[in-house]
Amino acid sequence: MNTTAEPVIDFEQERREILKRYRRLLRAAKPLLKDNDAKLIKKAFNTSLDAHKNMRRRSGEPYIYHPLAVAQIAVEEIGLGTTAIVAALLHDVVEDTDTTIADIERMFGPKIAKIIDGLTKISGIFEYGTSQQAENFRKMLLTLSDDVRVILVKLADRLHNMRTLDSMPRDKQLKIASETIYIYAPLAHRLGLYAIKTELEDLYLKYVEPDTYKDIARKLRETKAARDKFIAKFIEPIERDLAETGMSFVVKGRPKSIYSIWNKLNKQKKPFEEIYDLFAVRVVVDVPQESEKAACWQAYSIVTDHYKPNPDRLKDWISTPRANGYESLHTTVMSKSGQWVEVQIRSARMNEIAEKGYAAHWKYKGNDTQTGQGIETWISQVREMLETAGQGDKTGAIEFLDDFRSNLYSEEVFVFTPKGDLKVLQRGATALDFAFEIHTQIGARCMAAKVNNTLVPLSHVLHNGDQVEIIASNKQKPNEDWLRFVVTSKAKTKIKDLIKEENKRYITDGRDMVAKKLKTLRVDMSNETLNQLRAYFGSKTVNDFFYRVGKGHVDVQELKKFKADKDAKENRQNKINTDAIQDGKTFEKELKKIHGERADADMLLIGEDMDKIDYTLARCCNPISGDDVFGFVTVNEGIKIHRVSCPNAVELMSNHGNRIIKAKWTSQKELAFLAGLRITGTDRVGLVNDVTRVISNELHINMRSITIDSKDGVFEGIIKLYVHDTGHLETLMGKLERVNGVFEVVRFD
């Protein structure tokens, strides 16, 4: 009898390893420890060790390795103290064991309990269509305004999870990585934790697009020698002149992160070899704080003595630091070999803040957080936003998260009130955003604005240095059109709230009208019926449907048609089921009858058991056989298949991870999938003929449409055609690229 033996666990060796890791944590924390701190950390460690004693991670390691690693990251990479170490050690205890928040409060006090509560996921069943992840993010952010350490410990937790994602199944990797790029990397950016933000982004790419990641990493390795030689030559004259000033300094080149290079490749649609700014040169001057500004500008002057700067690319974050406290001078200069090079100039203090963020300098005294002014302002904005975002509103969580995210990566614009007070808004803000920044009532009654004494509409986009005066009227009322052009979360949230108040009346009226009509039609007004009505009339939520009825956009008489269609569909389904039983046909053949040959030639295996299930291909990304794909369970349209690189993938996986299922192509039958190609090149007589000959004659591919636009000797062609899989498409793209005059061929969604 062949039985595979369980791996033997050496408990004694594990015990020694746990103690070794615990001692390493204490060594890292030692400079931060005061009076009773070591005892408190030991108590937290023992509590966590006991709570997780029989638990193991996916990799087979003892679970306690994870809380210890999170605490280590919090100390070494974020620069946090005892409170955060204790919270990191205990962060999974309430979620995974019988210990309650009250127990934690009794043992460790209210401050730790509050942080742990912010880190503990909401349990319980959520109604279909709401997002548990979004609710959990919101809960975590609610505690952010009380104690920023909630987010910092969560970032440490997420970083360790991403570093150990290897042992997870593919669908979990996609879900966790997407959540990371959706909310955690932007949070790290906003809190100035650039090293962590960069690592999270790189790890996201490593798991979601592994081939691309390996490809860029390999090319970076291969070009390292040439790059180092270029940088050495570039910085030589700068170092020589800086040495003459007598300042202490360091000049070094560093490659951009793999993720940022990938972003550039995608945006610029150029091959790796043609992307020049693969690296940045950093000049760090070590001078006393009072002479930092002068020293940085002196270094700038030396750099521009040797290399011509691009005047549009100078960014001065020393005079006005970014909201997260980042200070630096950025300029792009032309090297002797004709390549643009980004140069960053900063002091040693600024460099430390840029690497570790303000977190490195947060000193906690009781409840006071002595943070940088920019972060303080941002946290107070978040607090205000959280107070106004309707917290009981389930659908609000995803909407809230979107607004919150838009706040994280935003660049700033500096504008002034008529009295000369400085207001910092996010880039792209309009006169209406400015009005809401001053006061909700001024925003609600805003008619127009004067920018630099010129009358402008509400949608006017503000620029650095604008002086803005708001013109208000009591007759003005907020309307939904405003949401199109405001960009700040504060303005969006306030406008939505003001409109919601106005709309509540319509929702109530609509609900009453629908209830009355359904009663007449003898249809039960259940949740299922309301959901079907919502989908039938193309509304986002049930309340949105009621609102449209109340407002008169949907005639209540149309419910008759809904009932007739519903009855017809049920009759059809019953007939299929009866036929199937009578004829002894299998489910597979039934699908074949409804969907033509599609069911039999099904090339997708879906779910944990990799079954053949009926599906539809998502229109947003048109996946084809061979693409890396996943399945998404929709509320009304069954399973939809998306490409992993679909523009909507990150949002779907972040907000609805529980509805993501595995999907994988098997290549048994040849099917035709619609794909789109964009071709650019130089125009010549006979070019279209050559392109179509390759498609139709050489490869026998059917085209659905072709449009070619030619202007001033340059042409762009858009071709939609039917291919079998990614291999088939790549062969075609390769052949088209070899056509004389064709410059580039790219696939589009």
Side-chain angles (χ1 to χ4, degrees), residues 285-386:
V285 291
D286 198 353
V287 293
Q289 194 164 342
E290 60 275 10
S291 47
E292 282 179 345
K293 228 177 191 180
C296 288
W297 283 109
Q298 193 178 355
Y300 172 78
S301 166
I302 288 170
V303 171
T304 54
D305 281 347
H306 293 284
Y307 305 107
K308 279 273 171 286
N310 178 339
D312 298 334
R313 296 292 298 273
L314 173 66
K315 289 180 182 150
D316 171 13
W317 284 308
I318 290 180
S319 307
T320 45
R322 295 172 84 163
N324 57 16
Y326 180 84
E327 294 173 78
S328 191
L329 265 184
H330 288 200
T331 180
T332 305
V333 297
M334 178 60 80
S335 66
K336 301 282 186 270
S337 59
Q339 277 174 254
W340 287 111
V341 177
E342 186 187 348
V343 182
Q344 302 169 350
I345 302 165
R346 55 178 76 150
S347 71
R349 177 191 66 85
M350 294 170 187
N351 195 48
E352 195 189 343
I353 290 175
E355 291 297 307
K356 275 194 173 170
Y358 261 98
H361 306 289
W362 276 328
K363 303 284 178 272
Y364 294 93
K365 289 182 180 171
N367 268 346
D368 294 349
T369 51
Q370 293 180 320
T371 61
Q373 200 46 48
I375 289 279
E376 264 306 317
T377 314
W378 177 67
I379 288 178
S380 68
Q381 281 174 357
V382 171
R383 192 176 292 137
E384 197 174 324
M385 192 180 151
L386 290 161

Side-chain angles (χ1 to χ4, degrees), residues 588 598-606 609-612 615 624-627 629 663-671 673 724-725:
E588 199 84 355
R598 184 43 204 285
D600 190 39
D602 202 331
M603 300 171 70
L604 259 183
L605 301 179
I606 294 172
D609 306 325
M610 288 284 135
D611 293 334
K612 288 186 186 178
Y615 61 87
I624 68 176
S625 176
D627 278 336
V629 290
K664 183 166 114 214
W665 296 102
T666 64
S667 46
Q668 74 228 36
K669 292 268 174 74
E670 294 221 327
L671 283 177
F673 294 92
H724 301 311
D725 53 32

Side-chain angles (χ1 to χ4, degrees), residues 36-55:
N36 234 0
D37 288 357
K39 271 187 187 162
L40 195 64
I41 291 172
K42 186 178 180 182
K43 185 179 173 187
F45 169 66
N46 286 327
T47 307
S48 185
L49 189 60
D50 184 50
H52 297 303
K53 63 175 178 280
N54 298 321
M55 292 170 67

Side-chain angles (χ1 to χ4, degrees), residues 30-97:
K30 200 173 181 191
L32 310 162
L33 300 183
K34 294 196 279 296
D35 329 330
N36 234 0
D37 288 357
K39 271 187 187 162
L40 195 64
I41 291 172
K42 186 178 180 182
K43 185 179 173 187
F45 169 66
N46 286 327
T47 307
S48 185
L49 189 60
D50 184 50
H52 297 303
K53 63 175 178 280
N54 298 321
M55 292 170 67
R56 294 198 166 262
R57 298 197 83 205
R58 221 20 123 94
S59 58
E61 296 178 335
Y63 196 86
I64 188 71
Y65 284 5
H66 172 62
L68 278 168
V70 174
Q72 192 82 23
I73 291 169
V75 178
E76 283 187 344
E77 300 180 50
I78 306 181
L80 294 171
T82 305
T83 307
I85 295 171
V86 171
L89 289 169
L90 300 170
H91 77 273
D92 279 335
V93 167
V94 173
E95 206 167 299
D96 296 343
T97 69

Side-chain angles (χ1 to χ4, degrees), residues 412-467:
E412 291 94 17
V413 59
F414 300 92
V415 290
F416 296 90
T417 67
K419 288 184 178 169
D421 296 335
L422 175 68
K423 294 282 177 193
V424 183
L425 298 167
Q426 75 190 63
R427 180 68 52 85
T430 59
L432 188 56
D433 285 300
F434 179 86
F436 275 101
E437 180 60 32
I438 293 172
H439 197 280
T440 307
Q441 282 312 309
I442 291 175
R445 300 203 311 271
C446 178
M447 286 285 286
K450 275 186 181 174
V451 172
N452 307 328
N453 273 331
T454 305
L455 195 66
V456 296
L458 299 181
S459 56
H460 176 84
V461 175
L462 303 175
H463 298 99
N464 277 335
D466 280 349
Q467 197 161 14

Side-chain angles (χ1 to χ4, degrees), residues 623-643:
I624 68 176
S625 176
D627 278 336
D628 199 358
V629 290
F630 66 92
F632 181 70
V633 184
T634 62
V635 178
N636 287 84
E637 298 172 83
I639 293 169
K640 280 208 166 167
I641 303 300
H642 293 261
R643 276 159 61 190

